[in-house]
């Protein structure tokens, strides 16, 4: 589609520069903006029973972890580290889960922090049609960025507790 083509052309333009570097990521969330975690919290508090796709696999990644990874890469490039040459890198947290697994982790934290319980039902992609086709497996190969000295990719679950707390705090203000 147009989105994918424009993204590809942007990456190609950046990578044509001598020091051009692109970091691809996926399943990004934080306590800001619109994202899956915030949607699940909002919808879960209203409905108490949700159906979430369980056959699409990826790696939820907190926006601040991406920023830290980009900073580590930039520092390594500025220091002239051989493992940090310009080019294309993938960055996500460690591990993988489905959208259903991500939602289950979010609601486990929500229950722990507020006693609100949300019942989850796993469904297939076919049971939740969307206009855009989503990949079944979107786990990125992060071996190249793992070579960067000082770069640490946390497990995907690590930032969820603090992020849920921050969203809830923001709603209470």
């Amino acid at each position: 589609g147009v989105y994918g083509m424009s993204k590809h052309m942007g990456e190609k333009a950046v990578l044509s520069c001598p020091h051009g570097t692109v970091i691809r990521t996926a399943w990004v969330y934080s306590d800001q903006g619109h994202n899956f975690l915030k949607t699940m919290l909002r919808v879960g508090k209203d409905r108490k029973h949700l159906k979430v796709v369980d056959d699409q696999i990826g790696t939820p990644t907190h926006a601040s972890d991406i920023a830290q990874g980009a900073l580590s890469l930039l520092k390594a490039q500025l220091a002239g580290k051989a493992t940090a040459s310009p080019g294309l890198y993938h960055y996500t947290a460690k591990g993988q889960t489905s959208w259903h697994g991500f939602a289950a982790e979010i609601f486990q934290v929500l229950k722990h922090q507020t006693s609100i319980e949300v019942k989850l039902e796993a469904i297939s992609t076919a049971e939740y049609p969307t206009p855009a086709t989503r990949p079944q497996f979107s786990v990125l190969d992060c071996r190249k960025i793992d070579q960067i000295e000082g770069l640490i990719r946390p497990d995907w679950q690590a930032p969820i507790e603090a992020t849920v707390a921050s969203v809830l705090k923001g709603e209470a203000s």
Side-chain angles (χ1 to χ4, degrees):
V2 173
Y3 173 75
M5 182 56 77
S6 64
K7 200 166 143 181
H8 172 72
M9 291 180 72
E11 286 182 354
K12 196 172 170 181
V14 169
L15 293 171
S16 71
C17 299
H19 299 288
T21 299
V22 171
I23 300 174
R24 285 184 186 159
T25 191
W27 291 32
V28 181
Y29 72 94
S30 77
D31 60 346
Q32 303 295 310
H34 300 285
N35 58 72
F36 184 81
L37 181 140
K38 288 183 71 180
T39 298
M40 288 296 101
L41 290 175
R42 179 179 42 80
V43 176
K45 285 191 276 179
D46 291 341
R47 296 197 198 151
K48 305 292 188 247
H49 179 259
L50 296 175
K51 296 178 181 181
V52 180
V53 172
D54 197 34
D55 60 357
Q56 293 177 19
I57 307 299
T59 306
T61 304
H62 197 278
S64 66
D65 292 332
I66 298 165
Q68 279 301 124
L71 184 59
S72 293
L73 175 58
L74 178 59
K75 284 179 179 179
Q77 287 178 333
L78 291 173
K81 302 285 183 179
T83 57
S85 60
L88 176 64
Y89 292 82
H90 291 169
Y91 182 95
T92 62
K94 289 183 181 176
Q96 64 188 41
T97 191
S98 66
W99 290 114
H100 180 271
F102 187 17
E105 188 75 19
I106 293 164
F107 293 133
Q108 180 179 330
V109 169
L110 179 67
K111 181 180 176 184
H112 175 74
Q113 292 182 8
T114 67
S115 300
I116 294 172
E117 288 192 58
V118 178
K119 182 180 179 211
L120 276 180
E121 182 179 338
I123 61 169
S124 69
T125 299
E127 295 172 273
Y128 189 78
T130 59
T133 303
R134 305 235 179 245
Q136 293 294 114
F137 190 79
S138 58
V139 175
L140 300 178
D141 180 350
C142 297
R143 285 180 291 186
K144 184 176 177 183
I145 206 158
D146 281 340
Q147 307 276 328
I148 306 302
E149 186 179 319
L151 187 141
I152 299 168
R153 293 184 307 121
D155 291 329
W156 68 267
Q157 301 98 324
I160 294 176
E161 187 170 344
T163 307
V164 169
S166 181
V167 171
L168 295 175
K169 182 180 176 187
E171 290 173 352
S173 322

